[in-house]
Amino acid sequence: QQQVKQSPQSLIVQKGGISIINCAYENTAFDYFPWYQQFPGKGPALLIAIRPDVSEKKEGRFTISFNKSAKQFSLHIMDSQPGDSATYFCAASKAAGNKLTFGGGTRVLVKP
Amino acid sequence: GAVVSQHPSRVICKSGTSVKIECRSLDFQATTMFWYRQFPKQSLMLMATSNEGSKATYEQGVEKDKFLINHASLTLSTLTVTSAHPEDSSFYICSASQANAGNQPQHFGDGTRLSIL
């Protein structure tokens, strides 16, 4: 059972454009929703995270939108840059330090 | 802060060899560490939760005798792939979160690329 579904699988964006990645979860016990960025051959790096008590969180060019009733959350990358080209994973857990359930990942390519 | 180090970064060895991978939290203590496996172009799959001073908790379908986990201190967990075979070739990644600090996020190591010939 895939508890966190992520879409799209891949995304091509022009430099300066907005990258949007969506995730949906099933387990209502999830209480912590991070996004990770992974470059080839490296481990995932935490980008931004949100808890269900807020509907939006912004850090620099990265924004998470959260819809608790729909059990969906999304990552928006504003002013996308070629250096943002990477694989992005959403995840969910019952608390920040608990085991994570990952979405399938989205490969983002930002064209110059 | 919150640096997690994995060693080695890459291993190539013959079938039947046992391989040990180390995961260290460099600037914080971690009572819990996690081990993941990632195949090319796929997501991370949790293998086991490593608990300091106690037995690891394995996810369904992960062979305990195949993937031995030891968490002997608050800064070190090891994963040993015993009698490795080509199908064990994969990217293994560990993560850790700071102990006793209340809802701290997981930080990941840079992974170990294991290739079994």
Side-chain angles (χ1 to χ4, degrees):
Chain A
Q1 180 186 14
Q2 186 181 0
Q3 294 192 48
V4 180
K5 294 183 179 180
Q6 184 171 345
S7 63
Q9 288 187 318
S10 63
L11 185 59
I12 299 175
V13 182
Q14 289 296 129
K15 179 182 176 182
I18 302 173
S19 303
I20 302 174
I21 306 171
N22 301 298
C23 283
Y25 64 98
E26 298 170 7
N27 189 343
T28 54
F30 287 147
D31 194 42
Y32 174 73
F33 303 88
W35 284 89
Y36 285 87
Q37 178 190 58
Q38 185 180 32
F39 292 106
K42 297 292 186 181
L46 179 66
L47 266 180
I48 186 172
I50 198 168
R51 289 188 170 84
D53 53 345
V54 297
S55 59
E56 185 175 284
K57 183 175 181 179
K58 183 177 180 179
E59 288 184 2
R61 295 185 294 110
F62 301 95
T63 300
I64 300 179
S65 298
F66 188 86
N67 186 329
K68 187 174 181 178
S69 61
K71 293 189 285 186
Q72 294 175 348
F73 58 111
S74 61
L75 175 70
H76 293 226
I77 306 174
M78 312 300 287
D79 188 27
S80 297
Q81 299 297 312
D84 296 332
S85 297
T87 300
Y88 293 81
F89 292 97
C90 63
S93 68
K94 294 180 182 179
N98 284 18
K99 65 180 184 179
L100 291 164
T101 299
F102 280 88
T106 298
R107 300 181 75 185
V108 175
L109 175 63
V110 182
K111 289 193 169 183
Chain B
V3 177
V4 176
S5 175
Q6 259 184 264
H7 179 80
S9 59
R10 186 176 182 96
V11 180
I12 302 173
C13 58
K14 294 180 180 180
S15 184
T17 307
S18 291
V19 178
K20 179 185 283 189
I21 303 169
E22 293 186 348
C23 179
R24 295 182 184 272
S25 54
L26 296 186
D27 52 358
F28 65 99
Q29 293 184 331
T31 52
T32 303
M33 292 183 177
F34 302 90
W35 287 96
Y36 296 83
R37 183 172 182 176
Q38 185 178 33
F39 290 106
K41 298 184 180 181
Q42 292 190 23
S43 188
L44 286 79
M45 296 295 294
L46 180 66
M47 298 175 66
T49 302
S50 171
N51 304 297
E52 187 266 338
S54 64
K55 291 182 179 180
T57 304
Y58 290 82
E59 295 299 300
Q60 191 174 9
V62 177
E63 298 178 58
K64 300 178 182 181
D65 295 332
K66 177 73 172 177
F67 300 99
L68 300 179
I69 291 173
N70 184 276
H71 194 154
S73 77
L74 286 171
T75 59
L76 173 65
S77 174
T78 60
L79 169 68
T80 301
V81 184
T82 61
S83 186
H85 291 284
E87 59 266 28
D88 298 321
S89 298
S90 189
F91 193 49
Y92 293 88
I93 312 174
C94 72
S95 71
S97 58
Q98 189 170 355
N100 302 321
N103 282 333
Q104 292 299 307
Q106 287 184 36
H107 296 276
F108 286 78
D110 268 344
T112 297
R113 175 76 59 194
L114 176 61
S115 300
I116 307 298
L117 304 177

